[in-house]
Amino acid sequence: MLSGETSVDYDVRGEGPPLVLIGGLGFGRWSWFRQVPALSRHFRTVTFDVRGEQRLRRGVPDLAAEVLALMDHLGLPRAHLMGSSLGGFVAQQLALERPERVNRLVLVGTSPGRGSPKTMSPQALLDMAGWPGLSAERAVRRGLETATSQDYRNRRPQEFEHLVRWRMADSPSAATYYEQLRAGARFDSSRDLGRITAPALVIHGTEDRYVPPANGAALAAGIPNSRLRLLDRAGHLVFIERFADVNRETVTFLKAGARRSSRCRRRARQTS
């Protein structure tokens, strides 16, 4: 799918209610490798990459517009959204801008943005932006070490090495990466969370060093119809580290909405 100076590569797996997965800063659709096999058994699961040089003059709203364009291309008037980190900003933006297009939200390792109660440490910020003088491989490795818990790296060292290789092989250009980074730095939904009408599930790792857990708690406290799930021994990539728990919580939450809608339709038929 072409959109201005960029193209969007996407995969659609499974049948059922549509679910769009929105990745984090610099991460391609490969990052959902632990979600797609499980979630596509229940949902029409969409993953995507934006290729080319992004010009995000409006910031996160431009990223949200790309998701809307993809939904239009796929003929999806409405969908569940699952966003991690920067992708969680995009999901919030869509829920605020176009609530009629959003069914339910799953917000993973994300925050209200600039209005968050706790910011990342200066060292974590440098690990995200890239330390000057480091090789590309060392910068990626250091960033992923900060994004994951020591427990995960001890338990799954080979998988961690796969993450490093995948991240190296499928990284955006430096210009696009910093466009996304600047977009995220300007985002602030803290004063608008109460206007989000979509039910939300907020999932956060207790050892998240990029987005401290207090920010997930702030999201859940601010969004009217939401719940918070904190997962121990997991960092920023909680959806990879604790994938079984994240997938189970996500399926349960999204299917609860379908059951509620079905009950409402039955009541409407009975009273008509």
Side-chain angles (χ1 to χ4, degrees):
M1 187 188 85
L2 297 176
S3 177
E5 298 178 353
T6 64
S7 64
V8 179
D9 297 341
Y10 62 87
D11 293 320
V12 181
R13 293 272 302 275
E15 300 292 337
L19 167 62
V20 180
L21 307 182
I22 312 171
L25 175 65
F27 281 81
R29 65 188 187 273
W30 64 264
S31 63
W32 298 109
F33 71 100
R34 285 297 196 179
Q35 275 63 58
V36 170
L39 299 184
S40 62
R41 291 199 290 268
H42 307 275
F43 307 99
R44 185 184 179 193
T45 303
V46 180
T47 56
F48 67 96
D49 294 316
V50 179
R51 305 294 186 184
E53 299 302 310
Q54 290 175 296
R55 297 288 182 264
L56 306 177
R57 296 178 179 86
R58 296 185 302 143
V60 168
D62 286 334
L63 295 170
E66 292 172 344
V67 177
L68 279 177
L70 176 59
M71 289 175 62
D72 290 341
H73 176 75
L74 294 173
L76 305 179
R78 191 174 175 89
H80 299 303
L81 303 179
M82 183 176 187
S84 69
S85 196
L86 178 64
F89 291 177
V90 177
Q92 291 173 64
Q93 184 71 36
L94 283 166
L96 288 165
E97 257 185 21
R98 300 296 301 272
E100 78 282 3
R101 304 295 299 272
V102 179
N103 193 350
R104 291 190 155 215
L105 295 172
V106 181
L107 304 173
V108 185
T110 190
S111 77
R114 292 177 62 185
S116 297
K118 189 170 182 180
T119 59
M120 73 177 73
S121 69
Q123 179 171 329
L125 181 59
L126 274 170
D127 289 341
M128 176 180 286
W131 287 78
L134 289 182
S135 68
E137 190 274 340
R138 182 59 191 141
V140 164
R141 181 175 296 277
R142 184 156 186 164
L144 287 171
E145 286 170 350
T146 302
T148 53
S149 67
Q150 185 65 56
D151 178 73
Y152 168 73
R153 296 193 301 278
N154 289 342
R155 287 186 296 106
R156 297 182 178 273
Q158 290 184 328
E159 183 172 281
F160 179 77
E161 293 302 319
H162 284 311
L163 297 184
V164 173
R165 289 197 293 273
W166 288 333
R167 186 74 172 78
M168 287 289 295
D170 189 35
S171 294
S173 70
T176 291
Y177 184 86
Y178 287 112
E179 280 285 300
Q180 292 181 8
L181 188 63
R182 283 192 290 269
R186 286 156 34 204
F187 180 76
D188 186 357
S189 65
S190 58
R191 297 182 180 179
D192 299 314
L193 293 175
R195 295 196 295 108
I196 293 179
T197 56
L201 170 64
V202 179
I203 301 175
H204 223 99
T206 60
E207 297 182 28
D208 193 329
R209 285 177 283 176
Y210 281 135
V211 184
N215 299 317
L219 269 184
I223 298 174
N225 188 6
S226 63
R227 66 182 71 170
L228 173 65
R229 183 75 166 91
L230 291 174
L231 295 177
D232 294 332
R233 303 186 313 281
H236 191 55
L237 300 185
V238 60
F239 58 100
I240 295 174
E241 298 183 55
R242 297 285 301 275
F243 66 92
D245 295 302
V246 169
N247 294 345
R248 182 174 60 252
E249 294 279 346
T250 297
V251 170
T252 299
F253 173 72
L254 297 182
K255 285 201 162 188
R259 288 193 295 271
R260 190 170 294 112
S261 297
S262 178
R263 286 196 298 270
C264 289
R265 288 193 296 270
R266 285 199 299 271
R267 290 194 197 104
R269 287 195 296 269
Q270 290 166 359
T271 56
S272 61

